[in-house]
Amino acid sequence: MAAAMHPWLVEFIQRIEREDLPRAHAAGGILSDAELVELFDSQLASRLLDLQSRLMQAAGQSFYTIGSSGHEANAAVAKALRVTDPAFLHYRSGAFFLQRAKQKPGSTPLYDMLLSFAASSEDPISGGRHKVFGSLDLHVPPQTSTIASHVPKAMGTAFAIGLSKRLQQQGTWPHDAIAVCSFGDASANHSTALGAINSASWAAYQQIPMPLLLVCEDNGLGISTHTPQGWIQQQLSQRPAVKYFFADGSNVAETYLVAQQAADYVRQKRKPAILHLRTIRLFGHAGADAEVAYRNKQEIVRDAERDVLLFTCAALIQRDLFSYEQLAEHIRKQAQRIARLAGQAQQRPKLTAATQVMQSIVPPTRDESVMPPALTENQREQLFKFDKHNIGKRQHLAKLLNWSLHDLMAQYGNIVMCGEDIAKKGGVYHVTQHLMEAFGPNRVLNTVLDEQSILGLAIGMAQQGMIAMPEIQFLAYVHNAEDQIRGEAATLSFFSDGQFTNPMVIRIAGLAYQKGFGGHFHNDNSFAVFRDIPGVIVLCPSNGYDGALLMRQAVRLAAVEQRVVIMLEPIALYMARDLHEEGDGGWLCDYPTPDLPVPALGEPAVYGDGDELAIVSYGNGYYLSRQAEAKLRAAGHKVRVIDIRCLVPLHVDAIVQALGNCKQVLIVDECRRRGSLSEELMTCLYEDYPERFRVRRITAEDSFIPLGKAAYTVLPSAAGIVEVASEMLAKRKQGAKA
């Protein structure tokens, strides 16, 4: 029995049989006969896959119908590039992907894409987790972006390709590679795309290599919103140090010629270029989109007459490569072949258990041999000459973080830091001071003031084989760019079945209690944005000793376990020296030597061995709890204080072990009552250890942080901890008497 044929395809074949094709564009000998047929097959297969996906969806066998129909000119873009050029593709890139696969013998892209449509666990890129264009062998990292959130990391990758050459390191992609990134005209208006294009322009303007080809596929629509006539050309053609190219996407020969010119320019000049490719969009935005609701029929018909497939078919006929009858039969056979493959693909296994789905959230671990040896004593002596008068003396958190970064950057030659003001200035709080002098401007980079671009740069560097260490100047600033962590860095392993990873350590100065500088944007006491991102690790040191150990742990997690790690560094404790009274030096620490082992991930630090009450906290809360513990001890109470240190994921079993025999638990959380870590910890203690503990918590108010002394009215205090702890201890005593 013949497979069902989509109505559009029936009409298309009938039109060919009627010999009703437009006049072919003049090719000018740009494409050979074989090349034209090759590109046509990629374009045709992409269109047939779109139609097959809709047929499969109608039968409940496909779950994604945003297609590439009308955009098949991008096959010619793929032909103009090398297979080793990393390609960050948007969701209308079916023809590009199919054409690129032809550069890798043995590829089976048709079947692979159908497995993806069917959400089969045998899908070779995502394992059935999403329909994405991606392949390790084809150098196509998977994207699920609909709003150009992949543009920053494409920019970052282009920069990293040049950087790896300057550092004389062999990266994932060769030194002569260029990064290509495609997106739509609607996405060209998104701040994410605009920031990344601006960053590429900013770098190129300063003669910094930026081999980036940006392909804007302009179909004139953002779902139902029309793009103003001429807007994309006006917006994209006037970027400093970015060369602009234009091609008519209905003309496959012109598209190939211009794409080749653009790619050659980027490859030879190591400068960015924009290829503005005019296309159309057929069949609406996706399967459920009835475009007649927002487009008139004349407009839809007019676009359909600009279909690249019509013009490529006309070129084949003009060159006598097919007769009309042969062409119609060729299309039927290709459709039948794809239908047969679809029948096989939709019968293949699916993900059936949460463990299967979650298996790729955490990337695969590398061999420990990737860790380079620590420095010799002589090497360290030379490294720390800049601060030799402080060596051997107890120091505050900022200083010991700085020392740990010196040790780590000397040990790991592929650590690259980037961020605002981190180079010569040494950062707002001088945590990165002297690093540029020690390791040079190629490893300690000042960036534009754009957090999306900073994180995109880091993702690109990580994919090029570096250990990226971006700095976000203040916690509140990360909210401008959180999707680069949530939607890009953290999801890459998940959507690639662990084949692509983003090993990085994101340093963020944050939390509250900062004096002399403030308001909400410099005293943000909520990191809830990170707590629900699967796979991300958040470490938070409260003192210099732990700061050095956790920084080493973070780098190891990135280097060996390929993890995305956030180092949340409490601003108010950077320079803290005293604990109980001015001049006591109680918060200064010795620097742990590099040979000391780092704590196990999730292992908390414990101060004291009291068994009457355990105070559990982190960051500033731990500092305040230590002050409170001294007062409680003076009153005759036996209290221990636990510093969680690893905030995400929360290792409750390790925390419970640290509680020892304590039945009374007071959680001190400097973040807000709603959406804070203390909610999770209390829930786990009650659910997993019912009736074992009596738990209370102290949190900040559900408020933003105001300026000045008013800030302390909405934050926990040492006095407040003493008050609540005393109440709990009094009740414990009364209960013991009873």
Side-chain angles (χ1 to χ4, degrees), residues 112-132:
D112 295 346
M113 288 170 66
L114 287 163
L115 288 171
S116 184
F117 293 166
S120 169
S121 58
E122 293 179 353
D123 163 25
I125 184 60
S126 78
R129 294 172 181 87
H130 206 286
K131 183 269 176 185
V132 291

Side-chain angles (χ1 to χ4, degrees), residues 482 485-487 490-491 528-537 566 648:
E482 61 191 50
I485 302 173
R486 174 189 299 276
T491 60
V529 62
F530 307 128
R531 292 183 51 243
D532 68 342
I533 304 178
V536 166
I537 294 171
I566 295 169
V648 180

Side-chain angles (χ1 to χ4, degrees), residues 357-363 485-495 502 528-538 562-566 648-649:
V357 173
M358 297 168 64
Q359 186 176 4
S360 62
I361 290 175
V362 175
I485 302 173
R486 174 189 299 276
E488 296 296 339
T491 60
L492 186 59
S493 177
F494 179 71
F495 285 126
N502 293 299
V529 62
F530 307 128
R531 292 183 51 243
D532 68 342
I533 304 178
V536 166
I537 294 171
V538 180
Q562 306 192 79
R563 303 297 293 271
V564 176
V565 186
I566 295 169
V648 180

Side-chain angles (χ1 to χ4, degrees), residues 489-519:
T491 60
L492 186 59
S493 177
F494 179 71
F495 285 126
S496 69
D497 207 17
Q499 297 171 77
F500 289 92
T501 59
N502 293 299
M504 65 177 67
V505 178
I506 305 170
R507 293 184 48 251
I508 304 178
L511 300 175
Y513 296 95
Q514 186 180 185
K515 297 176 182 177
F517 194 14

Side-chain angles (χ1 to χ4, degrees), residues 401 404-406 408-409 412 414-420 422 431-432 435 443-445 447 454-455 457-459 461-462 466-472 503-508 550-556 558 565 567 569:
L401 285 173
S404 68
L405 290 171
H406 274 83
L408 288 164
M409 291 192 72
Y412 292 83
N414 62 338
I415 290 179
V416 179
M417 303 187 70
C418 60
E420 303 165 18
I422 69 165
V431 175
T432 59
L435 289 170
R443 294 188 61 196
V444 185
L445 313 169
T447 67
I454 292 170
L455 292 171
L457 174 61
I459 296 172
M461 291 193 299
M466 302 166 193
I467 300 175
M469 192 175 285
E471 176 184 288
I472 302 298
M504 65 177 67
V505 178
I506 305 170
R507 293 184 48 251
I508 304 178
L550 293 182
M551 189 66 78
R552 294 169 191 165
Q553 183 178 57
V555 170
R556 185 203 164 276
V565 186
M567 274 288 288
E569 301 168 10

Side-chain angles (χ1 to χ4, degrees), residues 147-360:
I147 54 168
S149 63
H150 58 307
V151 185
K153 64 181 178 183
M155 176 276 298
T157 298
F159 179 89
I161 289 169
L163 180 62
S164 62
K165 182 177 181 179
R166 295 195 295 279
L167 294 175
Q168 298 182 325
Q169 294 179 357
Q170 183 61 52
T172 306
W173 295 295
H175 292 161
D176 63 348
I178 70 174
V180 60
C181 179
S182 60
F183 52 93
D185 51 292
S187 293
N189 298 302
H190 200 278
S191 65
T192 313
L194 294 172
I197 295 170
N198 179 72
S199 294
S201 174
W202 182 84
Y205 184 78
Q206 300 174 81
Q207 305 303 316
I208 299 171
M210 180 59 72
L212 174 64
L213 177 59
L214 296 161
V215 182
C216 180
E217 298 183 19
D218 178 7
N219 62 35
L221 288 162
I223 305 183
S224 68
T225 302
H226 287 69
T227 298
Q229 187 72 28
W231 170 249
I232 293 299
Q233 181 176 358
Q234 281 289 315
Q235 187 201 148
L236 298 183
S237 64
Q238 301 178 33
R239 301 280 175 172
V242 181
K243 193 170 180 63
Y244 173 83
F245 295 84
F246 173 82
D248 177 1
S250 69
N251 186 335
V252 65
E254 178 185 315
T255 300
Y256 175 63
L257 175 64
V258 176
Q260 201 171 44
Q261 291 171 345
D264 288 347
Y265 171 84
V266 174
R267 199 177 309 278
Q268 293 168 15
K269 301 293 186 181
R270 313 312 285 171
K271 290 180 177 292
I274 290 172
L275 171 56
H276 177 192
L277 188 61
R278 188 179 67 188
T279 67
I280 61 168
R281 189 191 74 190
L282 295 177
F283 314 141
H285 174 70
D289 178 33
E291 61 179 352
V292 291
Y294 53 86
R295 299 183 74 193
N296 63 56
K297 291 184 179 179
Q298 292 80 7
E299 183 184 358
I300 295 171
V301 170
R302 186 171 62 249
D303 268 4
E305 289 303 307
R306 293 173 46 218
D307 185 357
V308 62
L309 272 189
L310 287 173
F311 287 97
T312 308
C313 285
L316 293 169
I317 296 294
Q318 184 187 60
R319 295 196 189 189
D320 291 328
L321 298 174
F322 290 90
S323 67
Y324 287 101
E325 182 180 349
Q326 289 170 336
L327 185 56
E329 183 60 23
H330 176 74
I331 294 170
R332 282 195 194 93
K333 287 183 177 179
Q334 288 297 89
Q336 291 166 0
R337 178 190 176 205
I338 286 173
R340 287 195 300 272
L341 290 172
Q344 297 170 25
Q346 61 197 30
Q347 299 301 317
R348 302 311 301 161
K350 309 292 193 295
L351 297 169
T352 58
T355 52
Q356 285 181 292
V357 173
M358 297 168 64
Q359 186 176 4
S360 62

